[in-house]
Amino acid sequence: MAARTRLPLLFPKKLPPLRNQRLAHTEAAVKEPAYPTIVSSLTAKSKCARVRQVEDQVKKICGSPVEEKLSLITRIQRKKFVVYSQTFARNADRWYQHFTKTAYIPGLPEKFTLGPERKTQAEESSPPAAAHTTLPGIDSDAFADIRSLVTRVILHEHWHIKKRAPFLYREQEQMVGPFLRNLVTGLTFSLATYNPLLRLASLDIAPQVNFYWRRGQRIIPKGHRRGRQEPTRFQIDDQPHCQIRLTQQLQQFTPLEASYAADVPEVTFAPDLLPLFRRQYDNGIFTGAKVPDPACYGQTQFHLVPDRYHRDRMARLQQSDQVEVFLRANAIASLFAWTGAQAMYQGFWNHEDVTRPFVSQAVITDGHFFSFFCYQLNTVALSVETDANNPRKNLLWGTESLRLYESVQDGAVVGLNDDVVKLLVQFLMNRP
């Protein structure tokens, strides 16, 4: 029987040295300590905390859908200056240009003027009046029908409506209002054949248009927030006589970069001196329709002047220079509010400026005189923070007052101005 042997479990006294087997061409990665980013407190009463609160609010608004974005922008109610679209304040147009960063350009854009290159040989041989009434896309027979339509509307309001003495300060509403409404609806129906977008358009009667924005800042003079800076807030609540909305956006009148060299009046006085008054109520941004409405782009607004606006009276008071000032101020306020609300409906706001111009048109009348205006919104970044290095400016084109007709004698319209009819047709024919 074989004997069992015990194997020694002793380690040898001499072991090979333990060496680091690291490769020679590699280096040890230096691990930097990872610390969390130091940010200001959201609840502290400090300037840094206030800056962080504003940044978080801006990020929240930028990442929200349109309807929620409008709610967040208009949520906080502070006292704001109420800008009236129709005001008799002297030189109000310069103040309104400063509030809205709008430059005024006399005349209309080039697309509303008939150049000599558009005239044919037959038009050159015809009388000047006939050549002047030719419009692109509309032949002479169609223009004659439109001219007769305007004549019928004038005669209808002059003869075939039983009129009584209007209520006090409601003459424009009761006398000129039906005339303008019939004129707009008749022209829109007649021109739908030549402008297919008018078939899908929406005609609003006496809509409500609102716009809220910030421009400039002030130091709070008294109260528990005394000494702090706050933005100057503005609100426009407008109600045009009627307006036309389209499903497609109109083309720009001029490139956006062309507004860099425009001149905007600078008013250094407080808005109280215009005068404007501060009120506190719901902030509103509204185009006359809700956000899901497919007809979300504006084409033309029609406004009636108030009963207090009398050219003869202003001439007797030696205020003839304020006749056109009133109309320009009305156009600036109304078109800026309407066009700015359209841009807001597309998701643009103070910290997300427009990437494309927005365009609208307006016609202001008292039944006899018509004024035509075109507005191009190039920026909505009007606050102190976003307007520091913003060269963009909004643009307004406008005409002087043009008389539609002289009078009505023996059942006929005397002195019908074809230029006014032509501009009405061109405004309604404007399309992308």
Side-chain angles (χ1 to χ4, degrees), residues 326-339:
F326 175 90
L327 300 174
R328 284 196 296 269
N330 189 359
I332 292 172
S334 299
L335 288 180
F336 172 76
W338 196 34
T339 317

Side-chain angles (χ1 to χ4, degrees), residues 68-373:
E68 185 178 352
K69 183 179 295 187
L70 295 178
S71 176
L72 291 173
I73 293 173
T74 60
R75 182 182 59 181
I76 300 178
Q77 296 183 18
R78 300 278 188 188
K79 280 193 174 182
K80 56 196 175 183
F81 288 103
V82 180
V83 179
Y84 296 98
S85 58
Q86 295 181 334
T87 176
F88 289 93
R90 292 190 63 85
N91 300 322
D93 58 337
R94 292 180 55 85
W95 291 74
Y96 284 13
Q97 285 181 255
H98 171 70
F99 296 154
T100 61
K101 198 179 181 182
T102 301
Y104 175 70
I105 302 176
L108 292 177
E110 296 181 356
K111 67 183 303 180
F112 295 112
T113 58
L114 290 177
E117 68 277 4
R118 296 185 183 179
K119 297 181 180 180
T120 61
Q121 184 177 1
E123 294 174 358
E124 293 177 355
S125 60
S126 60
H132 194 60
T133 57
T134 303
L135 294 172
I138 297 179
D139 54 11
S140 57
D141 295 338
F143 183 81
D145 295 339
I146 294 172
R147 195 174 186 275
S148 62
L149 169 65
V150 175
T151 304
R152 288 197 306 270
V153 172
I154 296 174
L155 294 177
H156 180 267
E157 295 300 324
H158 192 270
W159 293 106
H160 301 290
I161 289 185
K162 183 179 179 181
K163 295 182 179 180
R164 63 179 181 181
F167 294 107
L168 187 63
Y169 290 113
R170 295 186 64 183
E171 182 178 357
Q172 290 288 325
E173 175 188 350
Q174 297 181 357
M175 299 298 182
V176 186
F179 159 72
L180 183 60
R181 189 180 305 115
N182 293 337
L183 180 64
V184 173
T185 54
L187 288 177
T188 305
F189 179 78
S190 300
L191 295 175
T193 306
Y194 307 97
N195 187 358
L197 281 180
L198 292 178
R199 301 173 184 173
L200 305 175
S202 176
L203 177 61
D204 304 329
I205 303 299
Q208 188 70 30
V209 178
N210 312 97
F211 190 66
Y212 166 79
W213 80 102
R214 300 177 178 184
R215 173 76 164 159
Q217 63 182 4
R218 73 182 190 112
I219 297 177
I220 301 176
K222 59 183 180 179
H224 70 283
R225 300 170 64 233
R226 180 181 58 188
R228 301 182 185 178
Q229 287 186 344
E230 71 165 359
T232 306
R233 301 170 174 88
F234 296 91
Q235 173 80 46
I236 294 178
D237 300 317
D238 189 28
Q239 188 174 16
H241 182 267
C242 57
Q243 65 183 16
I244 299 176
R245 292 181 288 108
L246 301 178
T247 56
Q248 298 182 20
Q249 185 178 352
L250 297 179
Q251 294 181 356
Q252 61 184 9
F253 295 126
T254 184
L256 190 145
E257 295 77 12
S259 65
Y260 292 173
D263 183 24
V264 176
E266 185 71 21
V267 179
T268 58
F269 302 104
D272 311 64
L273 302 178
L274 179 57
L276 288 182
F277 301 96
R278 298 172 67 237
R279 295 177 55 195
Q280 181 175 354
Y281 59 95
D282 290 342
N283 305 323
I285 298 176
F286 192 62
T287 63
K290 295 186 178 180
V291 175
D293 196 311
C296 55
Y297 299 104
Q299 193 214 39
T300 309
Q301 276 188 344
F302 295 88
H303 295 264
L304 285 177
V305 299
D307 286 274
R308 291 177 55 200
Y309 180 81
H310 296 287
R311 296 172 182 267
D312 298 337
R313 180 174 176 271
M314 298 175 76
R316 290 196 304 268
L317 296 176
Q318 297 181 357
Q319 297 179 358
S320 299
D321 59 330
Q322 300 299 309
V323 171
E324 300 298 334
V325 167
F326 175 90
L327 300 174
R328 284 196 296 269
N330 189 359
I332 292 172
S334 299
L335 288 180
F336 172 76
W338 196 34
T339 317
Q342 296 172 36
M344 290 282 194
Y345 274 27
Q346 300 304 314
F348 302 106
W349 67 295
N350 198 16
H351 291 270
E352 289 179 309
D353 205 358
V354 297
T355 57
R356 62 186 187 276
F358 286 78
V359 168
S360 297
Q361 306 166 148
V363 179
I364 305 176
T365 179
D366 60 355
H368 291 275
F369 290 91
F370 283 71
S371 299
F372 299 86
F373 297 93

Side-chain angles (χ1 to χ4, degrees), residues 406-422:
E406 296 293 337
S407 62
V408 177
Q409 297 179 2
D410 300 330
V413 178
V414 179
L416 182 63
N417 192 349
D418 290 337
D419 292 342
V420 178
V421 180
K422 180 190 70 173

